């Protein structure tokens, strides 16, 4: 069973009835109100699928993302995905795409190894 837009308390209540495999909550570099849910999923080994993982492409911290993208020689979107992937081993972002080129670019983000310092810069945004 997968749940969407739930709190930790709701997940715990549901787990008393059925096993929970995934949680899909709104989460990205800018929208982080579900930090506690993500942490819970990490502890409980429940996959976390952030919806709108790229804030529909309108991330407001473009300056910081652009600077890091230049440093790593990738795109700002790839940096945002790399941050999500570093945030939790249970994170499974599924960004939408309309082209093979964007799909390949999104997949390549998994190979970006953000330094702890750069990760923290993004985390503090």
């Amino acid at each position: 069973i997968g749940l969407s837009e739930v709190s930790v308390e709701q997940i715990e209540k549901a787990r008393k009835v059925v096993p929970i495999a995934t949680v899909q909550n709104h989460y990205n570099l800018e929208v982080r109100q579900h930090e506690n849910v993500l942490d819970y999923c990490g502890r409980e080994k429940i996959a976390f699928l952030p919806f709108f993982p790229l804030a529909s492409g309108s991330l407001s911290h473009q300056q910081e993302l652009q600077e890091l993208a230049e440093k790593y020689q990738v795109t700002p979107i790839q940096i945002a995905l790399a941050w999500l992937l570093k945030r939790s081993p249970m994170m499974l972002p599924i960004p939408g795409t309309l082209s093979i080129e964007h799909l390949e670019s999104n997949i390549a983000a998994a190979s970006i190894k953000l330094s702890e310092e750069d990760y923290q810069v993004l985390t503090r945004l």
Side-chain angles (χ1 to χ4, degrees):
I1 301 278
L3 303 174
S4 182
E5 280 302 288
V6 291
S7 66
V8 169
E9 296 76 23
Q10 291 168 321
I11 299 167
E12 289 175 337
K13 193 173 191 178
R15 290 180 81 192
K16 291 177 182 176
V17 180
V18 297
I20 303 301
T22 64
V23 169
Q24 183 178 19
N25 282 9
H26 190 185
Y27 188 86
N28 56 54
L29 193 55
E30 293 183 341
V31 176
R32 301 187 207 173
Q33 76 266 22
H34 295 294
E35 291 280 352
N36 64 331
V37 175
L38 176 54
D39 291 339
Y40 177 85
C41 288
R43 286 190 306 275
E44 299 298 319
K45 305 296 186 228
I46 298 170
F48 186 91
L49 291 78
F51 68 81
F52 293 125
L54 300 175
S56 299
S58 63
L59 295 167
S60 67
H61 300 290
Q62 290 298 328
Q63 172 89 19
E64 294 89 344
L65 288 171
Q66 185 61 44
E67 288 172 5
L68 286 175
E70 290 171 11
K71 176 180 177 179
Y72 287 86
Q73 298 180 338
V74 297
T75 69
I77 292 299
Q78 287 174 308
I79 292 294
L81 284 170
W83 178 84
L84 284 170
L85 293 169
K86 187 171 176 82
R87 172 61 181 84
S88 171
M90 300 311 293
M91 184 77 70
L92 297 171
I94 305 174
T97 185
L98 297 174
S99 72
I100 297 295
E101 179 184 17
H102 284 149
L103 175 63
E104 290 170 346
S105 177
N106 291 343
I107 291 169
S111 66
I112 299 168
K113 304 299 180 210
L114 291 175
S115 71
E116 187 59 30
E117 180 181 336
D118 292 337
Y119 171 77
Q120 291 302 326
V121 165
L122 293 170
T123 300
R124 288 189 295 267
L125 292 178

